[in-house]
Amino acid sequence: MPTPQFDRPLALKDQVYRILRDRVRQGDLTPQDRLVDATLARDMNISRTPVREALQLMVHEGLLDTTTRGFKLSELDQTEVGHLFELRLLLEPTVAAKSAMTSDRTGADRLVACIAQAGETADDATPHRFNAAIYRFFEILTSLCDNRVMAQSVLLYHDRLAQLRAHMMASPKHRALAAQGYMSVANAIAAGDAATAQEASEKHIRIGIATCRTLGLMSKI
């Protein structure tokens, strides 16, 4: 891997964490891959300590598991997927409604632009650009929400759903459907319509649940 360029004012462990988290988000890691602190430190040209600290943080967040040969991507079973979608139903519609009440209209407009960009990538050979746009959508969405605990929770469970998203969004059809649902949420937020944003978010999540069940990725919730 290319040697990353580090911004020294930010703690090294946080920079390593971001690099590895982005690899998870982009679907670059599979449960068969092993992350070894010594190897990563050598590739990044830094000491092992910040690498190990970053890896341990990802274990704490449920993104990685420890093994006798390093760290590996945590695998979700059907029950855990169901639990995470149940959490989505509890939090995301409320976050969408709160975001619609923001005074940051520029941020709300950025949501619409972000999903428009995602829609343009729906026919790509891989879902990488689409998924990157969706993560930007959630980063913008949660920045508009005045409840930071809810916002941080949303970002964390979406990282945990990275493997599932990579699998589901491999299909251009599913990407187009997802973009349509997210655009409904974004348009309502941009219009300042909290009730419609909440309703659109719940509808979109329930469509995702139905898709997961059709693909055999989730147990009933």
Side-chain angles (χ1 to χ4, degrees), residues 26-118:
Q26 293 163 9
D28 291 339
L29 296 176
T30 72
Q32 288 70 46
D33 294 325
R34 292 296 178 269
L35 298 174
V36 180
D37 56 355
T39 303
L40 290 169
R42 184 183 66 244
D43 291 342
M44 296 179 180
N45 196 28
I46 58 176
S47 70
R48 291 175 61 179
T49 300
V51 174
R52 189 155 191 86
E53 289 174 341
L55 291 168
Q56 291 291 359
L57 177 57
M58 294 177 75
V59 170
H60 178 72
E61 291 183 343
L63 300 179
L64 298 178
D65 291 328
T66 57
T67 76
T68 57
R69 296 187 292 113
F71 299 80
K72 75 177 198 64
L73 199 60
S74 180
E75 296 186 74
L76 297 175
D77 60 29
Q78 291 188 3
T79 298
E80 289 171 313
V81 172
H83 289 167
L84 287 169
F85 267 86
E86 186 175 15
L87 188 58
R88 287 191 70 185
L89 281 172
L90 288 172
L91 294 184
E92 257 172 72
T94 301
V95 169
K98 284 179 169 291
S99 297
M101 294 184 281
T102 182
S103 59
D104 182 2
R105 304 324 307 168
T106 300
D109 291 340
R110 286 171 58 212
L111 279 177
V112 176
C114 186
I115 295 305
Q117 182 183 39

Side-chain angles (χ1 to χ4, degrees), residues 171-188:
S171 164
K173 175 184 175 182
H174 291 155
R175 278 177 245 159
L177 183 63
Q180 182 180 355
Y182 284 123
M183 185 59 84
S184 296
V185 177
N187 282 334

